[in-house]
Amino acid sequence: MKKLTGSLRRWTYLTHRWCGVAGCLLMALWFVSGMVMLFIGYPKLTPWDRLAALPALSAAPQLPSQVMGDVPVSRLLLNAASGQARYIVQRADGSLISMDASSGVQARGFSSAAALRSARVFSGSDDVLYLGSIDEDRWTHSGSLNPHRPLHMVQVGDVAQTLLYVSSRTGEVVMQASRSQRMWNYVGAWLHWIYPLKNQSRDPVWSWTVIALSAGCVLVACSGIVVGLWRWRFARPYKSGSRSPFAPGWMRWHHLLGLGFAAITLTWIFSGLMSMNPLGIFSPTQSPNLARYDGAIVSRQHMDRTPTDILQALQRDGFQAVELEWKNLGGHCFVLARDAADGTRIVTTDAQGLLVQRRWPQAVLQEAAAMLLPAKLMQAELLDGGDAYYYRRAPEAMMGGTERRLPVLRLRFDDAGSTLVYIDPATGQIALTADRAQRVGRWLFSFLHSWDLHFMLAAVGWREAVLILLSLGGLGLSLSGIVIGVRRVDRKMRSRN
């Protein structure tokens, strides 16, 4: 038993010593990039920025039913992102097409000249320069961009030197990134997520590389905590008067910083590992049936109303729409209108004609939501302030581009995962679903990694200051480990020579 204990102790030391040589370098990069990410996020085009750039809609005589033709359509919307009113049609197979709202003529892709027009509309500037077409680059890894590829790149001559990516399928601007955001991201999110190793939006090699590196660094941190506690004299100090056995220098600093910051280092590395959902441990046991809720195919009912009729009804309600989308909700057909401030209206029909509403009645939402899961709806509650799972982040955060309106309807189902469903009454859309496994993942990743409880996010300035202080401690721990590792390797190399 004593021999086994001694062998285990030796292997713990060796694991920390040699795995830490590479692990500390990787952890130092994570700490530096993590501090940058507190203030500069990965490029994204938020819904409110997209809508703010859209021109107001005035008239579009072509009927939606005429545009759809005989092909099943999963999404149908109208905007003037390319400078003129166009229908954007997403077919059931996921492909995108664009049609002129006046003539119904389908666009055969969007050229560089069309991309420049869209960029002018979006930026409000005539100073635009076409840079070329790409399928994917370091700023466009998001899978949501796949239907729009290839992408046109347009440089805007504004103060921020904004780079715009324009869809070759719809003519819409689908991504923007200022020059400063791009530069900071080289030492921020792009480095933090090891994107130099990522070659496509779905890259299993990259995913498993990140998982393996994170797991290795968890092992380094755990072994370091154990070794640090073994070497610390709790009962009485060493002859030098110190409770650390190491003489003043890098080894002592590494020991002291390890005891002070190893726990938070381990927490962040472990939660980063959890963000990758290794082996699908946080995947839902049963996903809600969204097709039954809002329809997989856009219904042809109530398509006899022209967009002009709908826009006039909205204007009488004091609402200036920049986008219309034809949708379904539990068998109810409606048009979702959005304005430049990301406000919404719901347009339905009744015996008197078009009816404009600010939100769906709760009873209608609950009736439609009952079709989501083959389980009983246990609880329904309208929340005015969100909760631990439904909350809004700053735009620079990873989830900062997600709409989180209030109030929100929270539903709890009596299924195996006790699934929570959050529905936005202003749009009828499901904003979030989370079963038990996903909620556990929220705590093991988002909370441990980002400190994103309501009171933490509300402490603007204080939260960031504490996170930076802890990150600097972890960076100091990593840098001291790098110095020790380099010196140890150098000694080994010299001894061999």
Side-chain angles (χ1 to χ4, degrees):
M1 183 65 180
K2 186 175 181 181
K3 184 177 180 180
L4 178 63
T5 302
S7 179
L8 178 62
R9 194 180 184 99
R10 178 174 177 273
W11 277 107
T12 302
Y13 278 109
L14 289 175
T15 297
H16 184 68
R17 178 180 300 170
W18 294 112
C19 290
V21 172
C24 282
L25 177 60
L26 187 56
M27 286 188 280
L29 295 178
W30 278 336
F31 278 115
V32 170
S33 57
M35 286 187 282
V36 173
M37 289 174 67
L38 280 172
F39 307 99
I40 307 291
Y42 191 70
K44 61 173 70 72
L45 179 60
T46 64
W48 43 94
D49 286 338
R50 182 185 72 85
L51 291 166
L54 290 179
L57 291 171
S58 55
Q62 194 75 15
L63 288 172
S65 56
Q66 296 170 329
V67 171
M68 291 171 64
D70 298 326
V71 179
V73 171
S74 61
R75 192 179 186 208
L76 175 66
L77 57 85
L78 172 72
N79 64 38
S82 60
Q84 62 186 47
R86 306 190 72 89
Y87 285 102
I88 297 172
V89 182
Q90 184 167 22
R91 292 169 171 164
D93 62 2
S95 61
L96 287 172
I97 60 173
S98 176
M99 293 184 175
D100 186 280
S102 297
S103 64
V105 175
Q106 178 180 337
R108 301 294 180 182
F110 281 78
S111 64
S112 58
L116 287 172
R117 286 197 299 270
S118 295
R120 292 188 187 100
V121 172
F122 183 91
S123 64
S125 170
D126 291 329
D127 186 6
V128 292
L129 176 66
Y130 185 74
L131 300 182
S133 175
I134 55 100
D135 190 65
E136 185 173 346
D137 67 5
R138 61 183 63 87
W139 314 126
T140 56
H141 287 314
S142 173
S144 64
L145 299 178
N146 288 346
H148 300 280
R149 305 183 198 278
L151 304 171
H152 296 291
M153 294 190 299
V154 179
Q155 180 69 62
V156 182
D158 57 356
V159 175
Q161 288 292 292
T162 305
L163 179 62
L164 300 179
Y165 293 84
V166 182
S167 169
S168 63
R169 308 300 180 190
T170 67
E172 298 173 288
V173 172
V174 292
M175 179 65 72
Q176 65 174 344
S178 67
R179 185 178 186 276
S180 64
Q181 189 178 37
R182 299 194 304 271
M183 294 302 101
W184 276 110
N185 257 269
Y186 281 114
V187 290
W190 187 70
L191 181 62
H192 197 78
W193 291 102
I194 320 180
Y195 275 167
L197 303 180
K198 190 170 186 177
N199 296 314
Q200 53 192 359
S201 57
R202 293 183 64 86
D203 191 336
V205 174
W206 167 81
S207 298
W208 281 105
T209 299
V210 175
I211 289 172
L213 291 174
S214 301
C217 288
V218 167
L219 180 63
V220 170
C222 288
S223 61
I225 292 173
V226 173
V227 169
L229 292 174
W230 278 346
R231 301 305 300 271
W232 186 259
R233 282 279 182 89
F234 288 94
R236 56 185 176 83
Y238 291 92
K239 291 182 179 180
S240 63
S242 171
R243 295 185 183 275
S244 174
F246 305 108
W250 285 107
M251 285 295 293
R252 179 179 286 187
W253 274 113
H254 188 68
H255 191 198
L256 296 177
L257 288 169
L259 291 173
F261 294 96
I264 190 64
T265 299
L266 174 60
T267 297
W268 276 334
I269 298 170
F270 172 75
S271 56
L273 171 61
M274 294 299 100
S275 73
M276 300 300 296
N277 189 20
L279 301 177
I281 57 176
F282 303 129
S283 299
T285 54
Q286 182 180 22
S287 298
N289 191 334
L290 301 182
R292 292 187 63 192
Y293 175 80
D294 56 13
I297 303 299
V298 177
S299 173
R300 295 179 179 276
Q301 299 178 23
H302 308 304
M303 286 288 183
D304 55 340
R305 297 285 187 167
T306 68
T308 302
D309 295 334
I310 297 170
L311 291 171
Q312 289 175 350
L314 289 166
Q315 288 169 358
R316 288 193 294 270
D317 194 61
F319 190 85
Q320 183 63 67
V322 298
E323 186 171 80
L324 301 180
E325 183 173 5
W326 282 259
K327 299 180 70 65
N328 305 309
L329 175 64
H332 300 276
C333 302
F334 72 101
V335 173
L336 177 61
R338 299 178 184 270
D339 66 12
D342 199 20
T344 62
R345 291 293 187 274
I346 295 162
V347 184
T348 57
T349 57
D350 60 10
Q352 284 71 42
L354 293 173
L355 176 65
V356 178
Q357 305 175 79
R358 292 179 179 270
R359 65 179 62 170
W360 284 101
Q362 183 171 333
V364 174
L365 294 176
Q366 288 183 217
E367 179 184 1
M371 297 184 286
L372 283 168
L373 291 164
K376 183 179 179 182
L377 176 60
M378 297 295 294
Q379 184 185 40
E381 184 179 4
L382 194 65
L383 304 180
D384 290 321
D387 61 10
Y389 306 101
Y390 185 90
Y391 54 98
R392 191 168 183 174
R393 294 295 310 275
E396 64 270 10
M398 188 171 69
M399 297 180 291
T402 305
E403 289 180 307
R404 290 287 185 261
R405 299 179 208 275
L406 293 171
V408 64
L409 180 63
R410 181 179 66 188
L411 308 173
R412 184 184 296 274
F413 287 83
D414 188 27
D415 61 320
S418 188
T419 301
L420 293 177
V421 176
Y422 298 81
I423 301 178
D424 180 1
T427 64
Q429 295 178 316
I430 294 177
L432 176 69
T433 65
D435 74 349
R436 187 175 291 108
Q438 291 171 307
R439 296 196 294 273
V440 170
R442 177 262 183 275
W443 292 109
L444 293 184
F445 166 49
S446 296
F447 169 63
L448 293 181
H449 211 69
S450 303
W451 291 18
D452 59 354
L453 294 182
H454 284 291
F455 77 92
M456 293 177 170
L457 296 175
V460 179
W462 286 105
R463 171 180 172 271
E464 287 76 10
V466 172
L467 290 174
I468 289 175
L469 178 62
L470 293 174
S471 297
L472 289 174
L475 178 61
L477 170 63
S478 302
L479 291 176
S480 63
I482 292 172
V483 173
I484 294 167
V486 169
R487 289 181 174 181
R488 188 176 296 277
V489 171
D490 183 60
R491 286 198 300 270
K492 285 287 184 180
M493 296 296 291
R494 288 176 183 273
S495 65
R496 289 183 179 182
N497 295 331

